[in-house]
Amino acid sequence: MSTYDPTSMEGVPVQARERIEQMRRGLFTSDLSVNEFLLVRHAGFDPLGLVVGSSIYHIGIQIAGWKQSQEMGVLSQAMYGARELAMTRMEEEADQLGADGIVGVRLDIGRYEWGENLAEFIAIGTAVKHREGVLHRAPNGRPFTSDLSGQDFWTLLNTGYRPVGMVMGSCVYHVAHQGMLQAMKQAGRNVEMPNFTQALYEARELAMERMQKEAEDLQAQGIVGVQLQEKSHGWGSHIIEFFAVGTAVIPSEGGHAIPPPSPVLSLNDR
Amino acid sequence: MPFIHRRGPDGTQQDPAAAAADLQAALAALERGGIPPKAEQRLAELRQGDQMLFTSDLSVNEFALIARTGLQPVSQVMGSSVYHVGWQGMPGSFFGMGRGASELGVLSQAWNSARSLALSRLQQEARLAGADAVVGVHIKWGAHDFAPNSVEMVAMGTAVRTARAERTDPPVLTDLSGQDLWKLLQAGYRPVGVVGATTIFYVVPQWSTQRLTTSWLSGRSNQELPDFTQAVYSAREVAFGHLSAQAQTLGAHGIVGVSIDQSIGRREVDTGNDTKRIDLIVTLHVLGTAIVEVPDPESIQRLEGRLGRDLDVHTTLDLRGAL
């Protein structure tokens, strides 16, 4: 699978095909809460079904120089490629249902004992379709994706924006070990550690820059709800993945602003 | 690899000499307390993009309200500092001398320096992005396994700007969320900056307390441990003293939205002859936003267009649960 093909059912197991066939006949499944369901409906969308994309990926090996702060290109590529595969499969499932987009997308990584260098990348969300058939797809023809909850989705649409896609950037970075000489110079003193600061800074910048680039490619106007995660997926303490993910938004036609909010003093206990 | 619309690391090898030069430039910038050239580059790209793309870690609700205040998100900004903590002598280690509470000055100072470096880098990024303010500033701190004896402070937030042509310099930082900022502006106040402090106190117990905390006879009586109480008090007083001092330098009328993170650790000290002593380490991180009352509501109304001093508060009993 090298390109996005809306009709592709490649890699989708028989059971999943049956499930999709069932959902096409009108029954929907979703992981929306009741509130989310009502708000998505109120925003003019009907849920079509839960869509999933998954990819079990073998992550290669890369050796970093002991004293060198550097990006681990192979690992970055793996983390990126696998998420991309999972997302694409989820989008294709949604396309099968004739969806306009997917809300409440979660991106998870699972690791299993039976595979040391394996990781499962899972994308899961609820496919939705606009009731009046107003097109809400991303400019590249794919269904839009967003990790926004149903509530956030409603608010965003009412603010005059709509989601176009989840954007992400990943960077796996090796932080250099500190030399003996450097450690001696710092011994017992309160000083900033420029080497480490620089390494972490650069890694975060790379992740954020890639996310920004994705949003530009989607012709988005902005990104909301960015989360920056730092995780070391069992690579040892010096190798860290920085992962930035957010939802790219563009103004919708005939944009409108929310009515002036009035402050509310809630009498509910927390 | 399906990199049709997503761009990954391109896998091309950078020229090693250029990479080394980049690294040296970045290190030199950090030594000056500045930000690495790569970060400057990203922000410059963001400004020069033909279509004004913004990045933000605003939630959708915050985004909706920020738009109403007339502020426009520009970019997510960040500042970070990994700081080496110097050698700190522990009080009471010499035959229990120095009983009572005292500040571990070296540790406190390390945290405070790391914070101010991180916040100053955040501010520099915001300035480069052409922003007037940074909202939702939050600080994550922690230690990395790869760097022993060190702490890292990462400050993040979303840079915003007003519609005016001239920029506020330096940009104003606030740890308030978009919602809180909106309410504050409605009520006729505005933030002037973020204030934060860390204090770490160490308590070597007095004899009476030591007896109560370690002896087997201690279980009998109800009693306050005055030196422990005193230490927690002192730590708080010192931290808030720093906050007030910082707020006064900013010319603030008050501080709101203070988050307090307090943790108390125990340290057992062997005092020889099968006896031990339990010492306390009190750590306090505080962060808040200094605000001023806007003297002339007219001027701010002209500035933002939509602000008023009157705040209508409706009371509702929300029966629906959190929507």
Side-chain angles (χ1 to χ4, degrees):
Chain A
M1 195 188 64
S2 58
T3 49
Y4 176 74
D5 176 5
T7 58
S8 161
M9 292 289 270
E10 193 190 325
V12 179
V14 183
Q15 286 86 345
R17 286 172 207 220
E18 281 170 10
R19 190 172 63 87
I20 287 173
E21 198 51 48
Q22 258 178 13
M23 289 194 290
R24 266 197 211 145
R25 291 201 290 267
L27 173 85
F28 74 86
T29 53
S30 80
D31 62 347
L32 300 175
S33 68
V34 172
N35 290 337
E36 282 183 291
F37 171 63
L38 295 178
L39 283 171
V40 166
R41 295 260 317 167
H42 190 258
F45 285 83
D46 283 327
L48 297 175
L50 206 58
V51 285
V52 188
S54 157
S55 163
I56 296 193
Y57 211 85
H58 178 264
I59 298 168
I61 292 173
Q62 190 175 14
I63 311 294
W66 178 262
K67 287 182 71 174
Q68 207 179 356
S69 281
Q70 64 181 86
E71 181 176 13
M72 308 291 277
V74 175
L75 302 182
S76 293
Q77 186 87 18
M79 301 305 283
Y80 212 84
R83 285 196 185 99
E84 166 73 15
L85 275 175
M87 290 278 286
T88 304
R89 284 181 186 145
M90 181 185 67
E91 285 163 6
E92 284 173 355
E93 269 200 34
D95 228 325
Q96 291 292 315
L97 294 170
D100 284 327
I102 310 166
V103 296
V105 173
R106 302 193 302 273
L107 267 179
D108 290 328
I109 300 178
R111 293 190 82 96
Y112 302 100
E113 278 180 19
W114 40 264
E116 211 169 287
N117 295 318
L118 300 184
E120 187 188 12
F121 294 78
I122 311 150
I124 185 164
T126 300
V128 295
K129 185 178 173 58
H130 195 264
R131 214 170 296 133
E132 262 100 64
V134 182
L135 203 61
H136 277 84
R137 293 204 168 209
N140 59 11
R142 297 190 180 202
F144 73 81
T145 47
S146 90
D147 59 353
L148 304 176
S149 67
Q151 290 90 332
D152 282 348
F153 183 62
W154 184 89
T155 316
L156 189 67
L157 290 179
N158 278 280
T159 317
Y161 284 86
R162 64 186 179 90
V164 278
M166 250 169 109
V167 287
M168 57 194 185
S170 165
C171 172
V172 182
Y173 205 85
H174 175 262
V175 182
H177 293 251
Q178 212 175 17
M180 200 60 178
L181 204 65
Q182 184 83 17
M184 297 271 281
K185 266 197 285 184
Q186 290 173 346
R189 291 202 301 139
N190 259 353
V191 278
E192 187 175 31
M193 305 172 99
N195 294 340
F196 289 155
T197 309
Q198 184 270 336
L200 297 180
Y201 222 106
E202 173 158 324
R204 289 192 190 103
E205 281 297 333
L206 280 169
M208 274 156 68
E209 192 185 355
R210 281 177 191 146
M211 180 184 68
Q212 200 171 306
K213 181 71 177 56
E214 277 201 14
E216 274 166 23
D217 290 349
L218 276 174
Q219 298 157 27
Q221 209 199 30
I223 309 176
V224 294
V226 173
Q227 297 168 42
L228 197 59
Q229 299 163 1
E230 292 171 24
K231 265 187 198 140
S232 178
H233 303 277
W235 291 313
S237 66
H238 278 252
I239 300 180
I240 304 169
E241 189 205 14
F242 294 85
F243 180 56
V245 62
T247 294
V249 298
I250 52 174
S252 48
E253 295 83 28
H256 36 119
I258 54 164
S262 49
V264 161
L265 182 62
S266 173
L267 299 178
N268 284 19
D269 289 332
R270 263 183 198 270
Chain B
M1 278 301 147
F3 283 152
I4 301 309
H5 81 287
R6 300 191 196 283
R7 194 189 70 150
D10 48 12
T12 50
Q13 282 290 319
Q14 205 189 357
D15 173 27
D22 277 358
L23 178 66
Q24 286 316 315
L27 288 178
L30 286 171
E31 301 264 17
R32 289 193 305 269
I35 62 174
K38 278 250 175 70
E40 284 183 33
Q41 219 175 316
R42 182 179 72 89
L43 293 163
E45 269 173 33
L46 198 71
R47 277 177 93 174
Q48 283 157 10
D50 36 335
Q51 40 155 359
M52 288 300 287
L53 173 84
F54 68 85
T55 57
S56 75
D57 62 350
L58 300 174
S59 72
V60 170
N61 294 337
E62 275 183 287
F63 176 60
L65 277 174
I66 282 282
R68 279 212 73 87
T69 58
L71 297 170
Q72 216 181 352
V74 186
S75 168
Q76 190 179 10
V77 285
M78 178 192 77
S80 133
S81 171
V82 181
Y83 208 85
H84 185 265
V85 182
W87 185 81
Q88 171 78 59
M90 290 298 176
S93 47
F94 186 68
F95 296 115
M97 277 175 49
R99 284 181 186 273
S102 54
E103 186 169 7
L104 298 181
V106 177
L107 295 187
S108 300
Q109 192 260 326
W111 282 108
N112 286 327
S113 309
R115 181 190 299 98
S116 58
L117 275 168
L119 283 174
S120 119
R121 286 188 181 129
L122 175 98
Q123 199 167 39
Q124 289 173 48
E125 285 206 9
R127 184 190 287 137
L128 281 169
D132 289 305
V134 184
V135 300
V137 173
H138 51 281
I139 294 188
K140 283 197 298 187
W141 59 81
H144 289 281
D145 292 341
F146 57 77
N149 301 324
S150 74
V151 294
E152 190 194 21
M153 283 260 183
V154 190
M156 277 196 245
T158 298
V160 294
R161 73 164 141 242
T162 57
R164 284 177 305 156
E166 74 273 20
R167 295 278 153 255
T168 317
D169 195 47
V172 175
L173 311 185
T174 167
D175 68 338
L176 298 174
S177 66
Q179 290 92 328
D180 281 348
L181 183 65
W182 182 81
K183 283 180 269 183
L184 203 64
L185 291 173
Q186 290 291 305
Y189 293 88
R190 68 181 175 81
V192 285
V194 124
V195 287
T198 299
T199 43
I200 301 173
F201 258 75
Y202 193 89
V203 200
V204 183
Q206 306 291 354
W207 285 112
S208 54
T209 307
Q210 183 175 340
R211 223 169 24 243
L212 275 169
T213 50
T214 54
S215 152
W216 58 274
L217 279 169
S218 62
R220 297 284 292 278
S221 57
N222 279 340
Q223 202 178 327
E224 187 178 21
L225 304 176
D227 39 0
F228 285 180
T229 313
Q230 183 62 44
V232 177
Y233 255 94
S234 311
R236 211 155 29 214
E237 288 305 326
V238 170
F240 281 98
H242 286 313
L243 277 199
S244 310
Q246 287 174 23
Q248 260 158 20
T249 347
L250 290 169
H253 297 156
I255 306 173
V256 293
V258 176
S259 62
I260 304 172
D261 189 287
Q262 176 179 305
S263 61
I264 297 181
R266 267 162 64 104
R267 180 166 177 260
E268 272 192 21
V269 182
D270 197 4
T271 44
N273 296 334
D274 280 342
T275 56
K276 61 179 180 175
R277 196 179 73 211
I278 291 175
D279 294 354
L280 232 55
I281 303 177
V282 183
T283 308
L284 208 67
H285 298 285
V286 288
L287 190 75
T289 292
I291 57 166
V292 291
E293 198 172 348
V294 180
D296 175 17
E298 291 302 311
S299 72
I300 196 81
Q301 237 158 24
R302 255 183 283 121
L303 219 65
E304 314 289 359
R306 301 191 189 89
L307 299 173
R309 199 175 275 268
D310 295 322
L311 192 66
D312 286 330
V313 179
H314 304 262
T315 38
T316 61
L317 183 61
D318 190 353
L319 297 173
R320 297 160 301 174
L323 257 186

